[in-house]
């Protein structure tokens, strides 16, 4: 039993009255008439009653079910708050996480991009081995036994030949990662659930460095091999150093070294040089075509595998993407206003900011988090990327452009605004009505806000610009509504979500758990929770475990007995281990799609390698290759069947399809064993096998990277109101002058919401916190004086300290867990800023999920979306860049790689 103390007004008697009750009843399901031991002490009076009667005891006017539900939710929330706080705080103190678990949490958080990286690695190695095997057997027939440097001649050419095709594979993928328009469109499709289009720049860099690494490895092996043979007197190898194919190889190596070096030092090399040199990759593609179309091939002395077959189609797709960008997504518009903001010399030493507002083209549709390319013919003919700061509903496109450097494009814009001189030439002050060319939108949105009830939107430094766009979208969706109607509709929507979730939970579970429930002999096994991962934990069990952990932590804080201390600490750690197991399971699930990709690649490799190669030499399939294909396929299909029956939800249609496909695959395998067709597939068998494995791989991929639970918010919002219940706007910046320039716009938006809704209602739907970590105390003091009269400053929204992200996320979770009127909430944790800070926020979110699991509060879900760009750099005074929290961001790395920022150096 637990005691709850109510104030005098709620009990309507004395302050010493208490209520004792049996806590085993599940109040989350609103069981107002469930049997429950309740004792109400009012002086000498003792009453045993039910939750519904308790509501009536508190308020005799409670006549309808809605009021009963609200009253019992308040009744439940008062005791649950203290309980959860105890567990959350205790978990921080007594539960430690080692390096291994932190590594697992990193894998769990980055699982979507890691699956893509691992799949790419597997495909690269299969291609390398495939063509290396062909060359190995070719050399086996060409090189006689006992020849000089026998094993060098047998092994080096296969390594070189395999590496060449591995490089071509990278070259075939790179154009897709540069197709901005396709990436922007795909980010709003269902495919985004499998492929992290918002991290495509990382994949682009990964491909580039992989290609450079393979080329350096091949070059070292190649020159060592040719040098040994040439020094041994083999003139044919000496002559090859000056052959046509070698000369084009030298050119390719030099071009790639230039592109790689300027990319690695892109924060040191001037932007214009980096941008122009990076386009040498297209020259490299042209030279790569000529590389295999050399004089030997042209004179029919030897048939070579032509490089253009690998990347001709991807390059054509890329050029089509660029053409579509130029034709269909290029607009001309006029400048509406340009506001030139200069901070005082006391803050930021006169730093400058241009707020550019353009008339929005009618066909320009975007979402928060996307960016546009701008070109002002009066300045230059180059395109410059900037994040969009306006809301999607606005009639304008707004950009916050920080001015840096005397020779920069942004300084030319500033000179145009003010009519000042630039490089000795007078700029005409004519920004009103000037024509600006816009291309876009590009990039990926921060998230589909319609699926979330709440949002914690965090911006670091200049990464606040996409967050401002999301903030404006939220404010605009609210000011159109009447607050009374909004909260009334919110209550109805939350009740619908609760009803849908309750029904969904009854049907939820795997096929295996359903079978166990229907099997009388397995009931004891179910109760022992051996299969706890595939079975939803009973709610009474969750609540009892919650209380048990709470009691253990309370004892740890009070007792001095070492034996009892160790006993209770063991119980807490055991609960912590149970909370970690789902994360370990999610990390292990990543193996399944990778195994599927491997089997799919090996199938094509083994069943096509037996064809005569381009030199007419018959290639055989080794027995060990067939054994790997057989065993790997059976293991993959077995694991897929296990996951389908123990992890996939039986209520989904595709779960039944999964089981049927898995069973059929075993019969197909048996047929191929009987007919001895493994490794000798014809076109029909290869097609059937590929379709089966591809389907299994796709489903496994989806299971490994999908979100933990479904949000029913959009499904029940039939009234067309998709405004989130609350958005928490958080800005972390090291620059006080940046705050002084951007904060007035944020204050204006807040004041609009307060005038429309009132401050009390406004605080319920929107929260603003700005953390200024500027080390210049004088600048912070002046900023404080400038903002002293604003409403946000009076509400302590501006804080001169570092944020505690674990605490911020935990407090939000506590608020959501304790809000009994909306138990089934879904929060979007959106971050835009440096990768380092993104990792901090991601880890805080995962640790918070563990603590939430320990308390048994699974109804609240949180999804993390990160738009991270830039890298942590050491400060360079010669570098014109924006200095913000945890990074040194230069815009010169943004234009080619499609990053979004407000800075243009």
């Amino acid at each position: 039993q637990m005691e709850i103390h109510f104030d005098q007004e709620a009990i309507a008697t004395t302050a010493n009255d208490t209520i004792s009750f049996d806590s085993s009843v599940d109040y989350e399901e609103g069981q107002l008439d469930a049997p429950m031991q309740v004792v109400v002490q009012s002086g000498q009076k003792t009453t045993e009653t039910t939750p519904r009667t308790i509501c009536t005891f508190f308020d005799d006017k409670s006549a309808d079910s809605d009021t009963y539900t609200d009253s019992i939710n308040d009744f439940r929330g008062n005791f649950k708050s203290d309980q959860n706080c105890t567990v959350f705080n205790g978990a921080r103190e007594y539960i430690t996480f080692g390096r291994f678990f932190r590594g697992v949490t990193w894998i769990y958080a980055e699982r979507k991009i890691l699956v893509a990286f691992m799949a790419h690695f597997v495909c690269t190695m299969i291609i390398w081995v495939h063509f290396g095997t062909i060359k190995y057997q070719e050399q086996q027939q060409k090189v006689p036994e006992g020849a000089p440097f026998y094993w060098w001649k047998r092994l080096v050419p296969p390594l070189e030949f395999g590496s060449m095709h591995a490089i071509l594979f990278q070259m075939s993928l790179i154009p897709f990662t540069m197709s901005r328009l396709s990436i922007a469109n795909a980010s709003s499709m269902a495919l985004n659930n499998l492929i992290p289009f918002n991290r495509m720049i990382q994949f682009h860099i990964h491909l580039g460095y992989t290609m450079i690494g393979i080329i350096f490895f091949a070059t070292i092996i190649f020159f060592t091999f040719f040098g040994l043979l040439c020094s041994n007197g083999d003139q044919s190898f000496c002559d090859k150093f000056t052959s046509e194919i070698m000369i084009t190889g030298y050119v390719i190596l030099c071009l790639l070294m230039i592109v790689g070096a300027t990319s690695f030092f892109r924060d040191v090399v001037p932007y214009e040089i980096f941008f122009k040199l990076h386009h040498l990759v297209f020259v490299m593609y042209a030279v790569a075509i000529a590389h295999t179309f050399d004089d030997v091939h042209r004179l029919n002395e030897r048939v070579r595998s032509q490089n253009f077959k690998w990347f001709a189609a991807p390059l054509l797709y890329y050029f089509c993407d660029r053409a579509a960008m130029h034709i269909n997504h290029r607009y001309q518009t006029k400048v509406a206003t340009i506001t030139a903001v200069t901070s005082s010399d006391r803050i930021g030493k006169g730093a400058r900011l241009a707020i550019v507002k353009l008339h929005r083209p009618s066909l320009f549709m975007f979402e928060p988090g996307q960016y546009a390319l701008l070109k002002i013919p009066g300045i230059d003919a180059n395109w410059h990327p900037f994040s969009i700061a306006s809301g999607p509903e606005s009639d304008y496109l707004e950009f916050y452009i920080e001015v840096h450097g005397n020779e920069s494009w942004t300084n030319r814009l500033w000179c145009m605004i003010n009519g000042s001189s630039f490089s000795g030439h007078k700029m005409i002050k004519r920004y009103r009505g000037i024509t600006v060319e816009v291309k876009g939108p590009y990039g990926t949105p921060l998230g589909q806000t319609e699926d979330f009830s709440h949002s914690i939107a965090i911006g670091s430094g200049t990464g606040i610009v996409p967050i401002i766009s999301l903030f404006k979208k939220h404010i605009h969706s609210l000011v159109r509504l009447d607050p009374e109607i909004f909260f009334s509709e919110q209550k109805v929507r939350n009740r619908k979500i609760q009803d849908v979730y309750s029904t969904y939970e009854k049907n939820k579970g795997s096929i295996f758990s359903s079978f166990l429930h229907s099997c009388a002999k397995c009931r004891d096994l179910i109760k022992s929770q051996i299969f706890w991962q595939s079975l939803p934990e009973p709610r009474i069990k969750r609540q009892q475990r919650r209380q048990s952990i709470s009691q253990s932590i309370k004892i740890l804080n009070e007792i001095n007995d070492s034996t009892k201390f160790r006993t209770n600490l063991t119980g807490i750690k055991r609960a912590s281990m149970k909370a970690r197991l789902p994360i370990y399971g999610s990390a292990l699930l990543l193996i399944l799609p990778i195994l599927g990709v491997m089997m799919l690649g090996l199938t094509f490799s083994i069943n096509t390698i037996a064809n005569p190669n381009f030199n007419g030499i018959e290639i055989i399939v080794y027995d060990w290759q067939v054994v790997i294909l057989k065993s790997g396929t059976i293991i993959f299909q077995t694991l897929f069947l296990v996951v389908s029956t123990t992890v996939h939800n039986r209520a989904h249609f595709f779960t039944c399809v999964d089981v049927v496909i898995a069973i059929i695959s075993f019969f197909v395998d048996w047929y191929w064993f009987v007919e001895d067709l493994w490794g000798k597939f014809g076109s029909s068998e290869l097609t059937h096998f590929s379709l089966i494995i591809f389907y299994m791989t796709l489903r496994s991929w989806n299971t490994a990277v999908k979100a933990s639970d479904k949000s029913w918010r959009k499904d029940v919002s039939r009234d067309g109101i998709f405004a989130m219940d609350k958005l928490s706007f958080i800005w972390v910046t090291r620059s006080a002058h940046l705050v002084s320039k951007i904060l007035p716009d944020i204050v204006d938006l807040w004041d609009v919401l307060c005038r429309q809704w009132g401050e009390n209602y406004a605080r319920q739907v929107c929260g603003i916190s700005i953390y200024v970590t500027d080390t210049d105390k004088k600048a912070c003091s002046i900023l404080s004086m400038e903002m002293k009269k604003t409403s946000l400053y009076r509400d302590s929204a501006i804080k001169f300290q570092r944020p505690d992200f674990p605490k911020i996320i935990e407090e939000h979770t506590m608020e959501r867990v304790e809000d009994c009127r909306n138990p089934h909430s879904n929060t979007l944790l959106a971050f835009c800023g440096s990768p380092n800070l993104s990792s901090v926020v991601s880890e805080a979110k995962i640790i918070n999920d563990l603590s939430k699991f320990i308390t048994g509060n699974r109804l609240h879900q949180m999804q993390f979306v990160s738009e991270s760009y830039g890298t942590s750099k050491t400060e360079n005074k010669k570098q014109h860049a924006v200095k913000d929290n945890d990074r040194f961001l230069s815009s010169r790395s943004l234009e080619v790689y499609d990053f979004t920022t407000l800075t243009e150096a």
Side-chain angles (χ1 to χ4, degrees):
Q1 290 188 342
M2 299 179 64
E3 277 194 344
I4 288 68
H5 295 264
F6 291 84
D7 58 18
Q8 184 175 355
E9 296 178 357
I11 265 300
T13 54
T14 65
N16 294 326
D17 292 330
T18 63
I19 296 178
S20 303
F21 59 91
D22 181 1
S23 59
S24 63
V25 175
D26 189 359
Y27 297 95
E28 294 179 0
E29 293 300 310
Q31 298 174 354
L32 304 181
D33 296 309
M36 181 179 66
Q37 296 279 335
V38 180
V39 180
V40 181
Q41 298 175 345
S42 298
Q44 301 297 325
K45 183 179 179 182
T46 301
T47 305
E48 293 190 5
T49 182
T50 62
R52 187 180 296 276
T53 308
I54 288 293
C55 297
T56 309
F57 180 80
F58 292 153
D59 185 3
D60 291 336
K61 297 180 181 179
S62 300
D64 58 90
S65 59
D66 292 345
T67 309
Y68 284 142
T69 303
D70 294 342
S71 299
I72 197 61
N73 284 336
D74 291 336
F75 176 64
R76 179 176 68 88
N78 288 331
F79 73 82
K80 193 173 181 181
S81 175
D82 292 337
Q83 189 181 34
N84 286 329
C85 286
T86 302
V87 176
F88 271 68
N89 296 332
R92 295 288 186 271
E93 183 175 355
Y94 294 108
I95 301 174
T96 58
F97 306 101
R99 290 185 178 180
F100 175 76
F101 179 71
R102 291 184 182 275
V104 174
T105 58
W106 177 80
I107 293 174
Y108 173 78
E110 302 289 337
R111 60 190 184 279
K112 188 180 287 189
I113 188 69
L114 286 179
V115 170
F117 281 165
M118 289 188 292
H120 163 258
F121 173 78
V122 168
C123 292
T124 300
M125 296 309 300
I126 289 176
I127 290 173
W128 198 329
V129 173
H130 176 87
F131 288 96
T133 302
I134 294 176
K135 196 67 175 180
Y136 179 81
Q137 296 191 24
E138 181 182 341
Q139 291 297 106
Q140 186 178 16
Q141 300 181 38
K142 283 185 176 181
V143 181
E145 291 282 350
F149 298 97
Y150 174 75
W151 285 109
W152 279 89
K153 295 179 180 179
R154 283 287 306 276
L155 297 179
V156 172
L159 282 175
E160 293 291 329
F161 196 65
S163 62
M164 182 190 76
H165 286 84
I167 293 168
L168 291 174
F169 178 61
Q170 317 307 314
M171 295 177 68
S172 67
L173 294 179
I174 286 177
F176 293 116
T177 63
M178 299 188 299
S179 303
R180 300 179 184 177
L181 182 60
S182 300
I183 293 173
N185 293 335
S187 63
S188 59
M189 300 167 59
L191 191 61
N192 191 51
N193 296 327
L194 300 178
I195 302 175
F197 289 105
N198 62 320
R199 310 286 291 277
M200 193 56 65
I201 177 58
Q202 290 181 255
F203 196 64
H204 176 85
I205 296 174
H206 171 75
L207 291 176
Y209 287 144
T210 300
M211 183 168 64
I212 292 174
I214 297 174
I215 283 183
F216 269 96
F217 168 78
T219 301
I220 293 172
I221 298 296
F222 179 82
F223 279 103
T224 302
F225 172 60
F226 272 48
L228 284 173
L229 296 180
C230 179
S231 61
N232 195 46
D234 193 334
Q235 186 61 36
S236 61
F237 282 90
C238 296
D239 295 338
K240 289 182 179 180
F241 279 105
T242 57
S243 62
E244 183 176 323
I245 193 171
M246 288 296 294
I247 294 175
T248 54
Y250 300 149
V251 174
I252 293 174
L253 179 62
C254 293
L255 291 173
L256 195 61
M257 289 179 62
I258 293 172
V259 173
T262 54
S263 298
F264 186 79
F265 298 104
R266 60 183 177 273
D267 292 293
V268 179
V269 178
Y271 170 73
E272 290 77 9
I273 296 177
F274 162 78
F275 180 75
K276 293 177 181 178
L277 291 180
H278 207 72
H279 284 77
L280 289 176
V281 292
F282 297 108
V283 180
M284 184 189 69
Y285 276 105
V287 178
I289 295 175
H291 180 66
T292 52
F293 198 71
D294 63 338
D295 53 351
V296 175
H297 178 79
R298 293 195 302 270
L299 297 175
N300 295 323
E301 297 178 6
R302 184 178 180 182
V303 178
R304 297 192 186 277
S305 175
Q306 294 301 311
N307 292 342
F308 74 90
K309 298 178 181 179
W310 284 81
F311 49 75
L315 275 180
L316 180 62
Y317 182 87
Y318 167 76
F319 289 129
C320 291
D321 182 270
R322 294 301 296 266
M325 286 172 54
H326 185 80
I327 298 173
N328 300 325
H329 292 264
R330 183 175 180 176
Y331 311 95
Q332 284 191 347
T333 184
K334 299 290 185 179
V335 172
T337 60
I338 297 183
T339 304
V341 182
T342 305
S343 63
S344 63
D345 292 337
R346 298 178 299 175
I347 303 182
K349 299 180 181 180
R352 300 167 294 172
L353 177 75
I355 303 177
V356 180
K357 185 178 289 187
L358 309 176
H359 291 285
R360 175 178 171 176
S362 56
L363 294 178
F364 194 97
M365 308 296 178
F366 70 96
E367 288 295 328
Q370 294 186 297
Y371 69 98
L373 299 176
L374 302 183
K375 182 173 75 172
I376 301 179
I379 298 179
D380 63 15
N382 297 323
W383 294 95
H384 304 268
F386 296 99
S387 292
I388 304 172
S390 53
E393 73 292 333
S394 176
D395 293 330
Y396 301 94
L397 295 177
E398 195 170 1
F399 304 91
Y400 294 161
I401 303 176
E402 189 93 15
V403 180
H404 288 284
N406 295 327
E407 301 296 327
S408 66
W409 182 88
T410 54
N411 187 56
R412 297 182 185 181
L413 175 64
W414 182 266
C415 294
M416 175 179 288
I417 296 172
N418 293 279
S420 55
S421 61
F422 173 78
S423 299
H425 299 283
K426 183 72 174 179
M427 299 289 290
I428 302 175
K429 186 176 180 179
R430 54 178 182 85
Y431 61 85
R432 292 186 181 276
I434 190 173
T435 299
V436 177
E437 292 189 48
V438 182
K439 282 203 298 188
Y442 304 119
T444 57
L446 286 175
Q448 299 296 328
T449 56
E450 296 83 2
D451 294 330
F452 299 94
S453 59
H454 297 76
S455 176
I456 303 176
I458 304 173
S460 168
T462 56
I464 194 60
V465 177
I467 304 299
I468 291 177
S469 178
L470 181 64
F471 179 68
K472 289 180 178 180
K473 177 182 179 180
H474 180 64
I475 295 296
H476 180 267
S477 62
L478 291 174
V479 296
R480 297 180 302 162
L481 306 172
D482 180 85
E484 298 290 345
I485 296 177
F486 174 80
F487 288 111
S488 175
E489 293 292 339
Q490 182 187 90
K491 183 184 296 185
V492 174
R493 180 173 59 250
N494 292 339
R495 189 184 303 113
K496 289 181 180 178
I497 293 175
Q498 186 168 352
D499 293 340
V500 171
Y501 189 88
S502 300
T503 305
Y504 178 76
E505 280 293 301
K506 294 177 182 178
N507 298 325
K508 186 179 179 182
S510 65
I511 296 176
F512 184 65
S513 65
S514 177
F515 171 76
L516 290 181
H517 279 295
S518 63
C519 182
K521 295 180 181 180
C522 297
R523 288 177 182 173
D524 294 336
L525 191 61
I526 297 174
K527 291 180 180 179
S528 65
Q529 292 187 351
I530 294 177
F531 300 100
W532 69 272
Q533 280 183 290
S534 61
L535 296 176
E537 186 180 10
R539 295 180 178 83
I540 295 179
K541 289 285 186 181
R542 289 207 305 264
Q543 193 166 11
Q544 291 174 351
R545 176 164 57 84
R546 193 162 56 220
Q547 295 169 9
S548 174
I549 297 300
S550 176
Q551 186 67 18
S552 298
I553 293 175
K554 182 179 180 181
I555 293 174
L556 287 176
N557 293 328
E558 295 177 354
I559 65 175
N560 296 321
D561 189 296
S562 59
T563 303
K564 291 183 178 180
F565 184 90
R566 286 194 299 269
T567 302
N568 286 275
L569 184 60
T570 301
I572 295 174
K573 290 187 175 181
R574 187 180 298 113
S576 172
M577 181 56 67
K578 281 190 174 183
R580 302 182 200 187
L581 288 178
I583 295 182
Y584 290 139
S586 298
L588 288 175
L589 280 176
L590 300 181
I591 299 175
L592 195 57
I594 303 307
L595 185 58
V597 172
M598 182 183 299
M599 291 303 103
L600 198 60
L602 286 177
T603 301
F604 279 100
S605 173
I606 293 175
N607 289 281
T608 58
I609 200 173
N611 297 326
N613 74 345
F614 47 82
N615 284 326
I617 298 176
E618 193 71 24
I619 305 299
I620 63 173
V621 178
Y622 296 109
D623 292 338
W624 60 267
Q625 292 177 314
V626 179
V627 171
I628 291 177
L629 179 61
K630 291 178 182 178
S631 57
T633 301
I634 294 174
I635 292 173
F636 172 67
Q637 293 171 348
T638 303
L639 291 176
F640 179 78
L641 180 61
V642 171
V643 171
S644 300
T645 54
T646 60
V647 177
H648 294 173
N649 187 2
R650 67 175 183 268
H652 291 168
F653 166 75
F654 280 104
T655 301
C656 299
V657 177
D658 295 340
V659 175
V660 172
I661 292 293
I663 294 175
I664 290 175
S665 66
F666 288 117
F667 284 101
V668 174
D669 293 344
W670 171 79
Y671 171 76
W672 287 333
F673 272 110
V674 172
E675 298 295 329
D676 192 22
L677 293 176
W678 287 98
K680 296 175 287 186
F681 287 165
S683 58
S684 177
E685 290 81 7
L686 186 60
T687 301
H688 294 156
F689 183 90
S690 301
L691 290 175
I692 292 174
I693 299 299
F694 177 76
Y695 173 82
M696 292 181 173
T697 303
L698 197 64
R699 288 286 293 159
S700 302
W701 196 311
N702 179 67
T703 302
V705 303
K706 70 177 181 180
S708 57
D709 207 349
K710 175 178 173 59
S711 172
W712 299 99
R713 181 177 177 84
K714 188 175 181 179
D715 298 288
V716 302
S717 299
R718 301 169 186 173
D719 51 10
I721 300 176
F722 293 116
M724 291 184 292
D725 294 350
K726 185 176 182 179
L727 182 141
S728 298
F729 177 93
I730 300 175
W731 183 15
V732 186
T733 179
R734 193 183 298 177
S735 176
H737 81 271
L738 194 61
V739 176
S740 68
K741 292 181 289 185
I742 297 180
L743 186 59
D745 282 355
I746 300 174
V747 173
D748 290 342
L749 291 170
W750 173 253
D751 291 340
V752 169
L753 181 62
C754 290
R755 286 194 301 269
Q756 186 83 12
W757 282 46
E759 288 193 12
N760 291 333
Y761 280 146
R763 291 191 184 97
Q764 295 183 43
V765 296
C766 188
I768 299 176
S769 297
I770 300 173
Y771 294 88
V772 183
T773 60
D774 200 327
T775 56
D776 189 346
K777 295 182 178 179
K778 184 178 180 180
C780 294
S781 177
I782 296 171
L783 174 65
S784 178
M785 293 178 61
E786 290 182 357
M787 300 298 165
K788 199 171 185 179
K789 296 182 180 180
T790 63
S791 57
L792 290 180
Y793 185 86
R794 293 193 299 269
D795 292 340
S796 301
I798 304 175
K799 304 174 177 63
F800 296 93
Q801 63 186 40
R802 291 186 178 275
D804 186 351
F805 287 114
K807 184 177 180 181
I808 291 172
I809 297 174
E810 177 182 309
E811 288 178 349
H812 173 80
T813 301
M814 293 297 305
E815 181 183 347
R816 300 283 22 95
V817 168
E818 294 160 14
D819 185 3
C820 308
R821 295 177 177 82
N822 185 16
H824 307 284
S825 54
N826 203 308
T827 297
L828 169 65
L829 178 59
F831 175 83
C832 192
S834 69
N836 287 348
L837 201 55
S838 175
S839 299
V840 172
V841 176
S842 175
E843 181 175 321
K845 185 259 181 186
I846 294 175
I847 302 303
N848 178 79
D849 287 347
L850 290 178
S851 300
K852 181 168 63 73
F853 183 92
I854 292 174
T855 63
N857 299 303
R858 301 187 186 182
L859 299 182
H860 173 64
Q861 301 293 328
M862 182 178 290
Q863 182 175 338
F864 180 59
V865 177
S866 176
E867 294 284 349
S868 299
Y869 48 81
T871 54
S872 297
K873 301 290 181 183
T874 56
E875 186 169 341
N876 182 357
K877 294 182 179 180
K878 296 181 179 180
Q879 175 71 23
H880 296 294
V882 177
K883 183 173 64 175
D884 62 39
N885 191 39
D886 291 336
R887 69 176 180 177
F888 213 66
L889 176 64
S890 171
S891 67
R892 61 170 53 93
S893 64
L894 309 182
E895 184 151 322
V896 174
Y897 291 134
D898 300 351
F899 286 144
T900 56
T901 183
L902 72 91
T903 311
E904 178 66 31

